[in-house]
Amino acid sequence: MSTELKGFCLHGKQKISPSSGIPIMSNTEVVALEIPSLKEGEILAKTLYTGICGSDNSASLGKANFDWVERPRVIGHEFSAEILALGPGDHGNLKVGDVFTPLAMLGCREEACPACSVSKWNLCPSKQIIGFHRNGGFGQQVVLESDRVVPLMKGLTPAQGALVEPLSVVVNALHNKCHIKPGQDVVVTGCGIIGLMAAELAKAAGARVAITGLASDKEIRLKAAKERGFITIEVSPENSLSTQLSAGITDANGIPFGVLGKVDLLIECSGVPQVLSEAISVVRPEGDICVIATYGQDVAINATHLTRTSLNMRGSMGSCREDYMVAQKLMVTGVFPSEHYTNIYDFKDIRQAFEDSILANNVKAVIKMN
């Protein structure tokens, strides 16, 4: 007797605040999964492990920056999977049984596209994101284009494979936008998994790193950061980052962090508009700000201060195949200790995993799908 396939589906767009009294999973449900016939260039795969991204949480809560996602939709773009079948067409060296992680973003692949012509699908204006534009990794099986497939590197586990995509996003940002030098003082704002990954890679590049969070992050996410040797800064509207840096922050050895309240680089991962507005006030002249987060509203920036201090502010969007390969190597070689930050849930507990993720009661939720 066959087991019915299931998927975790986004079906509503009601705006939900965790403190509103509305059940935070009201926009989602677990549904029976329908698998379409394979088209030219598509494959069928069994999902193995799928990570919950902050964007999945935002879409589930109906936040404005993700209300464009078509509903109903089986979400999920951070996952590992095993090929079950190849559809019509040429799939190169792919074969049934291969274990892989998919490129989250697939560009239009037209020669005239400025992004796709240099293999930067993440910057294509017509890109298709798996889990948002088509059903994704929170289904127990998934149909996707074989062009997305990135085989897992030898030594990488399927559970680690679910973290390749978010780590690749940080690789893209730090390797291409930040240019960290050994000995620099770096602040990462936001202690979700992207912030924690950014902190780890900045430290690996030789920087001394502080990471910020809220009071609600203290016992789990900031604790995980502190265990890895990072300076942790608990911020609030009454006790902002700039206030604490100006008052003086020291590392575990009592050595002052930053100079006169200024740091060399700030990596913004929180997605909170006020945090980005404040960022330019805590970076030294000719210092750098790297923005990985997205925002649900326009953000006010003191552009005159930006000019007078000659700051460099750069955004970074997604990642491409090269970043996936680097991310895999960083995990295989232990540069990024994925096991320290991963919380594994069974698929039957997926609603609890999402609730814990939204309420910051875990570090990085990864679902064992089958």
Side-chain angles (χ1 to χ4, degrees):
M1 182 177 179
S2 61
T3 302
E4 182 181 60
L5 295 173
K6 294 181 179 180
F8 182 77
C9 185
L10 176 67
H11 66 81
K13 56 170 60 180
Q14 181 179 14
K15 290 182 170 30
I16 300 172
S17 167
S19 60
S20 66
I22 301 171
I24 58 178
M25 304 311 298
S26 295
N27 286 330
T28 66
E29 62 181 336
V30 175
V31 300
L33 194 64
E34 296 183 9
I35 303 299
S37 300
L38 297 182
K39 298 177 183 176
E40 184 87 9
E42 291 184 334
I43 64 169
L44 173 67
K46 176 176 71 174
T47 50
L48 301 174
Y49 289 86
T50 304
I52 297 177
C53 177
S55 61
D56 296 323
N57 291 334
S58 293
S60 298
L61 294 173
K63 290 188 177 180
N65 47 335
F66 285 95
D67 63 3
W68 53 268
V69 178
E70 181 183 351
R71 277 81 163 170
R73 174 68 66 220
V74 175
I75 56 178
H77 57 271
E78 306 175 355
F79 61 95
S80 61
E82 178 184 345
I83 296 177
L84 295 177
L86 302 173
D90 182 11
H91 300 278
N93 295 324
L94 297 181
K95 61 185 184 301
V96 171
D98 285 351
V99 178
F100 68 94
T101 185
L103 293 171
M105 300 178 184
L106 184 70
C108 68
R109 294 165 287 175
E110 297 292 336
E111 290 184 7
C113 175
C116 293
S117 63
V118 291
S119 300
K120 296 283 188 180
W121 293 350
N122 51 311
L123 301 179
C124 174
S126 301
K127 61 182 172 288
Q128 297 285 298
I129 303 173
I130 192 166
F132 289 151
H133 292 102
R134 66 178 300 165
N135 286 347
F138 284 117
Q140 291 181 310
Q141 289 186 9
V142 62
V143 172
L144 69 158
E145 305 89 342
S146 64
D147 282 352
R148 293 185 189 266
V149 171
V150 181
L152 290 194
M153 188 177 290
K154 183 179 179 180
L156 202 72
T157 68
Q160 289 176 309
L163 273 70
V164 172
E165 192 277 338
L167 187 57
S168 73
V169 170
V170 177
V171 166
N172 179 32
L174 269 68
H175 284 201
N176 298 319
K177 304 293 177 136
C178 291
H179 311 300
I180 299 170
K181 298 179 178 65
Q184 287 188 326
D185 285 341
V186 173
V187 168
V188 177
T189 47
C191 58
I193 193 61
I194 295 296
L196 292 164
M197 287 174 165
E200 288 284 357
L201 297 200
K203 182 175 75 171
R208 187 171 51 157
V209 183
I211 186 166
T212 71
L214 305 175
S216 57
D217 297 312
K218 183 177 181 179
E219 296 303 321
I220 297 177
R221 296 178 177 180
L222 287 180
K223 180 182 177 184
K226 194 168 188 177
E227 289 169 351
R228 288 288 298 163
F230 298 113
I231 301 168
T232 57
I233 306 173
E234 185 182 318
V235 296
S236 67
E238 300 75 31
N239 198 18
S240 66
L241 173 63
S242 57
T243 298
Q244 294 185 58
L245 283 171
S246 295
I249 290 175
T250 59
D251 63 18
N253 297 315
I255 300 171
F257 178 79
V259 176
L260 298 177
K262 309 293 182 185
V263 298
D264 299 295
L265 164 68
L266 184 143
I267 306 171
E268 195 338 60
C269 304
S270 75
V272 177
Q274 296 88 337
V275 172
L276 182 57
S277 296
E278 181 190 26
I280 64 173
S281 69
V282 302
V283 176
R284 64 167 174 78
E286 295 192 323
D288 298 297
I289 298 169
C290 179
V291 184
I292 305 178
T294 61
Y295 305 85
Q297 63 188 71
D298 291 340
V299 181
I301 295 291
N302 185 338
T304 299
H305 180 79
L306 191 75
T307 300
R308 288 176 174 169
T309 52
S310 295
L311 295 179
N312 305 299
M313 179 180 285
R314 298 175 177 179
S316 184
M317 175 63 187
S319 58
C320 58
R321 189 175 295 268
E322 181 182 357
D323 303 314
Y324 273 62
M325 302 311 295
V326 174
Q328 291 194 66
K329 191 168 185 179
L330 291 174
M331 279 195 278
V332 166
T333 57
V335 174
F336 177 72
S338 56
E339 67 285 346
H340 182 72
Y341 296 113
T342 306
N343 307 102
I344 304 291
Y345 295 76
D346 290 329
F347 181 74
K348 65 181 178 62
D349 299 318
I350 190 168
R351 295 179 68 85
Q352 185 63 55
F354 264 83
E355 287 188 20
D356 288 347
S357 183
I358 289 169
L359 298 175
N361 289 332
N362 56 30
V363 181
K364 177 64 175 179
V366 174
I367 312 302
K368 185 178 181 181
M369 294 296 301
N370 282 283

